Amino acid sequence: MTMPVPPGRRHGRIVRHYGVEVRLAFDDGDFLTVRVKRNSGHVVGDRVCWHGDRLERLERRTLLQRQDPFGKVRSLAANLDGLGIVLAPQPTTPVAFIERVLVAARSAAIAPFLLVNKADLAGSAVLAQQLRQQFGDTQPLLLVSALSGAGLTPLRDLLATLGCCALAGQSGVGKSALLNALCPGLDLQVGELAEGGQGGHTSSVSTLVDLASGGSLIDTPGFRDFAPVQIASAELPGWFPGFAELLHQRACRFRDCRHRQEPGCVIRQALADGSLSAERYGRYLALLDELEAAEQRQRGW
Ligand SMILES: Nc1nc2c(ncn2[C@@H]2O[C@H](COP(=O)(O)OP(=O)(O)O)[C@@H](O)[C@H]2O)c(=O)[nH]1
Ligand SMILES: [Mg+2]
Ligand SMILES: [Zn+2]
């Protein structure tokens, strides 16, 4: 009896996702488009092994997920090192959106940074200033313009340092335009109005490109809301913008303080002395409620 010849095992990465097909970039430089089940769970950035005609997903280092408005968990990209939250003077982005993406990235061990795009438009410098005030300097903030090319060199440097990054943000802030600017010849569609990109069109949901200047970058579809998933509610204060800093200085009386009504609470004190805004505290409570409700559903209460 002869041993079967081991089929060629080729390693690579998913660089495009079209719903029922994915584009593979093999480590040897070859490309191949293969069919996948619609609910395969594969996402852009996934490391894969292709053998025979089977696609095997390799272990993920990180996974960025969100919950859509219908409560469904959506995986956005795998093996990310960094996540750029793209903002612009137009269209504007609610602060809660930024906070939630920050929580999702930090809790998934992905380094977030803020990208204020459309630096050529009036209002971009003021926006950058406001964001620095609101979010401090725990993550980088760059002011860039896909249109004029301003700030792209520091952005290239940051991306080369981080490794594999994705751009997240609402539709119309310029994610695709930024990728096109960083990767001449890419020619992603800019200015499309479709939201979500989940409608089964031929256009790709997400695209990963390797940058000549180092690192790689993933364009994700825009979305209006962003609900983080798979975070224990007890861990939220550690990830929520501004909270870790306060809790680092002093501890609440109770170790498991949720910072609602507990006595001796550092967060409530910060709220009282004005070092924490009532708006941010309210958004923390709203997200805490959501995470606790999700935990109760999972436990079947
Ligand atoms: N003024 C200006 N407009 C931009 C800039 N970047 C993108 N846009 C415009 O913003 C719109 C949305 O861009 P797009 O890349 O499709 O946004 P996405 O939905 O985040 O991918 C398009 O009309 C772009 O031309 C920029 O740096 N400056
Ligand atoms: Mg786009
Ligand atoms: Zn507390």
Side-chain angles (χ1 to χ4, degrees):
M1 202 179 104
T2 54
M3 293 296 286
V5 180
R9 296 174 72 88
R10 304 177 75 192
H11 285 87
R13 234 176 357 167
I14 296 178
V15 294
R16 241 171 218 248
H17 203 305
Y18 306 92
V20 292
E21 286 186 328
V22 296
R23 181 115 172 118
L24 307 178
F26 292 113
D27 296 344
D28 61 16
D30 261 10
F31 290 91
L32 183 68
T33 301
V34 302
R35 289 189 74 79
V36 290
K37 293 203 185 81
R38 189 167 273 287
N39 56 0
S40 70
H42 301 326
V43 290
V44 167
D46 262 326
R47 298 277 317 162
V48 293
C49 178
W50 173 249
H51 49 100
D53 55 359
R54 270 196 59 229
L55 190 64
E56 183 192 339
R57 183 165 75 220
L58 304 183
E59 204 182 317
R60 290 162 166 160
R61 261 183 317 116
T62 64
L63 180 64
L64 180 67
Q65 295 182 309
R66 68 182 268 262
Q67 198 170 44
D68 73 12
F70 310 104
K72 241 191 115 190
V73 174
R74 302 243 177 223
S75 294
L76 294 170
N79 300 317
L80 291 180
D81 303 297
L83 181 68
I85 306 170
V86 185
L87 306 149
Q90 263 317 316
T92 58
T93 300
V95 183
F97 179 95
I98 307 172
E99 288 168 345
R100 284 162 179 246
V101 180
L102 283 172
V103 168
R106 289 171 178 172
S107 62
I110 298 166
F113 58 96
L114 302 181
L115 268 187
V116 178
N117 186 34
K118 313 198 185 183
D120 54 289
L121 294 186
S124 57
V126 171
L127 174 62
Q129 186 54 38
Q130 284 171 347
L131 290 167
R132 278 199 192 91
Q133 270 168 16
Q134 275 168 326
F135 293 99
D137 49 11
T138 46
Q139 62 279 305
L141 183 150
L142 298 181
L143 184 55
V144 298
S145 170
L147 192 73
S148 76
L152 291 187
T153 301
L155 175 56
R156 283 196 180 91
D157 293 345
L158 180 65
L159 295 171
T161 311
L162 284 171
C164 185
C165 296
L167 297 182
Q170 300 197 314
S171 288
V173 291
K175 298 177 296 294
S176 302
L178 278 169
L179 242 84
N180 285 340
L182 291 167
C183 198
L186 181 64
D187 216 13
L188 288 177
Q189 197 181 341
V190 161
E192 59 201 311
L193 289 172
E195 169 145 321
Q198 297 284 350
H201 325 282
T202 48
S203 71
S204 68
V205 174
S206 294
T207 307
L208 182 153
V209 291
D210 285 318
L211 303 172
S213 45
S216 43
L217 194 55
I218 299 173
D219 182 34
T220 68
F223 18 77
R224 223 186 283 286
D225 67 292
F226 196 105
V229 289
Q230 263 132 28
I231 304 164
S233 58
E235 284 167 16
L236 179 63
W239 309 121
F240 201 78
F243 277 44
E245 293 84 339
L246 292 167
L247 294 166
H248 198 69
Q249 292 162 15
R250 273 180 307 135
C252 299
R253 184 176 307 165
F254 299 108
R255 270 180 59 112
D256 60 350
C257 188
R258 301 243 157 159
H259 321 301
R260 276 199 178 97
Q261 304 286 347
E262 297 92 333
C265 173
V266 168
I267 295 294
R268 302 278 303 185
Q269 274 159 25
L271 186 67
D273 71 24
S275 47
L276 175 70
S277 79
E279 291 78 12
R280 171 159 286 174
Y281 181 63
R283 294 188 298 263
Y284 162 77
L285 290 181
L287 186 49
L288 183 64
D289 284 348
E290 275 177 43
L291 294 175
E292 286 178 349
E295 280 167 1
Q296 290 181 2
R297 275 198 305 278
Q298 274 169 15
R299 293 196 196 105
W301 290 355

